[in-house]
């Protein structure tokens, strides 16, 4: 019933939720314009058309976006990421001692602790101050950028969550380009093109048609029942992606490959403006859907950057880069790392691999026996209650349970989620004895940030939870599903007990999942 409801209604968010995100996007844009007023190289917002293409305007947008994201105000905020009260984690966690974190080298003295110390807080606060210092400077020179660029990787070593929350795969690399004045614009075109083409490449899989169905079923504007039904083979009996969904998916991938190519070869001609028009429509479509995870601000800066880089400077191309140092940085971060991340996804974040909305993500399911989920509230230092307690502030218990179950439906409607009907019987004897929580919800309340990054809530987080909550055998069982490696037709998975450790591990062919409905048979449901 929940899968059928998702097909027609999506998450079913009320208009006030969409209004929240529309206002947030407006404030984000206004914040950038505000910081532009500090520049001696730019003008007041009324003269926007005369200075929007100045490289410093884009730099201020990049630094402001980095600040906005690492404060927890961008991706992963608000009710469409199961963050109801308060609507953000971010700085509320990152400035609070003893909250959980995920060090890059767990167990190593000083840098490997999993509880936030005053050193962590001081470095994070310093990073915020350094960003603000640059944003209010009359001219952002390299002396403002070096400290920002230098401290962010350190924050990532102390807590991987912070590095990802800052959207470093985009904003950090873009900021580095400004350290090479002669190559800045050429380097930035490399960044923008690599993100588009990397994202398109990641969609060359069997998962994306299901993603298209899930996204359009949840679209904030395209609320036509006939359209939503057409995305599935035979609604309501067969909820696998239809031929129509496959056509839309492949068309979207071709579009994401195509318009960057037009921008690259257009050199300011009509071809460039056709490419910019397609690009604008592409990002407007994504933004207007207000998708789960809400990467809305990122779409805004991608559009602005495209008009600056390819509209105002159409004759500057990636092959104009002269600095071997910058070229090496860009090749490693924008080509080699994404390729490795797609072939060996276990070791890389889907963000670093540019697998945005490809449907091919690592994820987890946490199964709490009885009321054992309440141990999270009793033993963790955090700034909010469990998602169930947050929802209970606004809804009656039945509606709360329904909304939590909608998250389950979101997961199983994706191709990779169908594996759960095979794994749940291996994990627990009676599912009715357990509360089913997506790992995203656990990361959100435990770490202060979540954005589809399944590696944030695997064994490393589970060990930290077990150390504090002391779950008994069978009290918390987890299913960890890894992304599908490129050119390898399977998903790897693990079943882990918080107390006893690994229970089972295996590999399931993708072709088996394509034959399954999102939901299982009544014999195990």
């Amino acid at each position: 019933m929940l899968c059928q409801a998702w097909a027609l209604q999506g998450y079913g968010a009320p208009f006030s939720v969409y209004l929240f995100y529309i206002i947030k996007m407006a404030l984000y844009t206004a914040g950038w314009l505000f910081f532009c007023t500090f520049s001696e190289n730019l003008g007041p917002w009324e003269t926007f058309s005369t200075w929007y293409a100045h490289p410093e305007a884009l730099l201020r947008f990049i630094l402001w976006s980095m600040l906005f994201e690492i404060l927890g105000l961008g991706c992963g905020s608000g009710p469409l990421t199961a963050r109801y009260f308060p609507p953000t984690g971010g700085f509320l966690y990152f400035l609070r001692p003893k909250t959980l974190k995920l060090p890059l080298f767990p167990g190593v003295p000083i840098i490997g602790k999993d509880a936030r110390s005053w050193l962590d807080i001081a470095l994070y606060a310093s990073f915020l101050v350094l960003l603000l210092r640059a944003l209010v400077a009359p001219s952002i020179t390299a002396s403002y950028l070096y400290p920002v660029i230098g401290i962010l990787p350190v924050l990532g070593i102390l807590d991987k969550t912070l590095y990802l929350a800052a959207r470093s795969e985009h904003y950090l690399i873009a900021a580095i380009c400004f350290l090479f004045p002669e190559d800045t614009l050429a380097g930035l075109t490399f960044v923008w093109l690599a993100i588009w083409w990397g994202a398109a490449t990641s969609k060359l899989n069997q998962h994306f048609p299901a993603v298209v169905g899930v996204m359009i079923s949840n679209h904030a504007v395209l609320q036509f029942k006939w359209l939503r039904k057409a995305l599935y083979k035979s609604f309501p009996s067969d909820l696998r992606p239809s031929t129509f969904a496959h056509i839309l998916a492949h068309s979207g991938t071709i579009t994401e490959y195509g318009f960057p190519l037009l921008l690259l070869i257009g050199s300011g001609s009509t071809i460039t403006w056709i490419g910019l028009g397609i690009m604008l429509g592409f990002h407007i479509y994504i933004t207007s859907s207000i998708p789960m995870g809400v990467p809305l601000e990122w779409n805004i800066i991608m559009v602005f950057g495209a008009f600056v880089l390819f509209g105002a400077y159409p004759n500057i191309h990636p092959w104009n880069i002269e600095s071997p140092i910058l070229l090496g940085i860009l090749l490693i971060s924008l080509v080699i790392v994404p390729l490795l991340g797609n072939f060996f996804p276990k070791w890389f974040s889907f963000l670093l691999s540019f697998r945005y909305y490809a449907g091919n993500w690592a994820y987890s399911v946490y199964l709490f026996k009885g009321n054992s989920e309440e141990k999270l509230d009793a033993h963790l230092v955090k700034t909010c209650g469990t998602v169930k307690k947050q929802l209970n502030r606004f809804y009656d218990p039945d509606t709360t349970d329904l909304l939590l179950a909608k998250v389950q439906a979101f997961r199983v409607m994706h191709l990779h989620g169908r594996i759960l009907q095979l794994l749940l019987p291996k994990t627990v004897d009676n599912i009715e004895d357990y509360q089913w929580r997506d790992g995203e919800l656990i990361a959100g309340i435990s770490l202060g940030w979540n954005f589809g990054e399944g590696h944030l809530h695997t064994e490393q987080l589970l060990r930290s939870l077990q150390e504090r909550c002391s779950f008994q055998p069978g009290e918390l069982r987890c299913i960890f599903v890894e992304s599908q490696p490129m050119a390898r037709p399977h998903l790897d998975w693990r079943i882990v007990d918080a107390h006893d450790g690994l229970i089972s591990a295996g590999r399931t062919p993708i072709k088996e999942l394509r034959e399954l409905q999102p939901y299982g048979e009544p014999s195990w449901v």
Side-chain angles (χ1 to χ4, degrees), residues 28-140:
Y28 163 75
T29 306
W32 164 62
L33 291 173
F34 169 74
F35 285 115
C36 284
T37 64
F38 288 90
S39 174
E40 62 186 15
N41 300 312
L42 309 176
W45 67 268
E46 308 96 90
T47 60
F48 177 79
S49 61
T50 65
W51 56 260
Y52 81 93
H54 193 289
E56 189 171 309
L58 182 54
L59 174 57
R60 288 179 184 269
F61 216 159
I62 290 166
L63 296 181
W64 165 235
S65 299
M66 189 185 295
L67 176 61
F68 196 83
E69 295 289 353
I70 204 166
L71 283 170
L73 303 176
C75 303
S77 64
L80 290 183
T81 57
R83 203 177 298 283
Y84 299 95
F85 188 85
T88 186
F91 69 94
L92 298 177
Y93 278 75
F94 305 150
L95 290 172
R96 183 168 183 173
K98 298 184 179 180
T99 50
L100 287 182
K101 63 190 185 78
L102 298 177
L104 185 61
F105 304 107
V108 174
I110 301 177
I111 65 171
K113 296 180 180 179
D114 66 352
R116 188 161 275 104
S117 68
W118 287 108
L119 173 62
D120 296 293
I121 292 170
L123 286 171
Y124 174 72
S126 298
F127 184 67
L128 301 183
V129 171
L130 289 169
L131 282 170
L132 283 171
R133 171 176 170 261
L135 286 168
V136 300
S139 179
I140 304 178

Side-chain angles (χ1 to χ4, degrees), residues 219-338:
H219 202 286
V221 178
L222 301 177
Q223 299 190 10
F224 307 108
K225 287 188 177 181
W226 63 267
L227 173 62
R228 296 183 177 191
K229 289 180 180 180
L231 298 167
Y232 305 96
K233 281 194 172 183
S234 182
F235 178 88
S237 59
D238 191 341
L239 297 183
R240 292 173 295 173
S242 65
T243 300
F244 179 51
H246 280 81
I247 292 172
L248 290 179
H250 297 318
S251 299
T253 303
I254 292 170
T255 300
E256 199 165 14
Y257 272 124
F259 72 75
L261 180 61
L262 297 179
L263 298 178
L264 184 65
I265 67 175
S267 299
S269 66
T270 302
I271 293 175
T272 295
W273 292 100
I274 291 174
L276 287 171
I278 297 173
M279 177 279 305
L280 180 61
F282 179 83
H283 283 284
I284 286 177
Y285 166 76
I286 297 172
T287 306
S288 66
S289 72
I290 310 188
M292 306 293 279
V294 291
L296 306 173
E297 292 80 15
W298 176 82
N299 279 277
I300 293 174
I301 192 173
M302 285 296 291
V303 168
F304 177 76
F307 274 100
V308 170
L309 297 172
F310 301 98
Y313 302 98
N315 294 312
I316 296 179
H317 304 97
W319 53 79
N320 297 136
I321 297 173
E322 296 183 358
S323 169
I325 296 175
L326 177 60
L327 184 60
I329 292 171
L330 296 178
L331 287 174
I332 291 171
S333 58
L334 302 177
V335 179
I336 295 176
V337 168

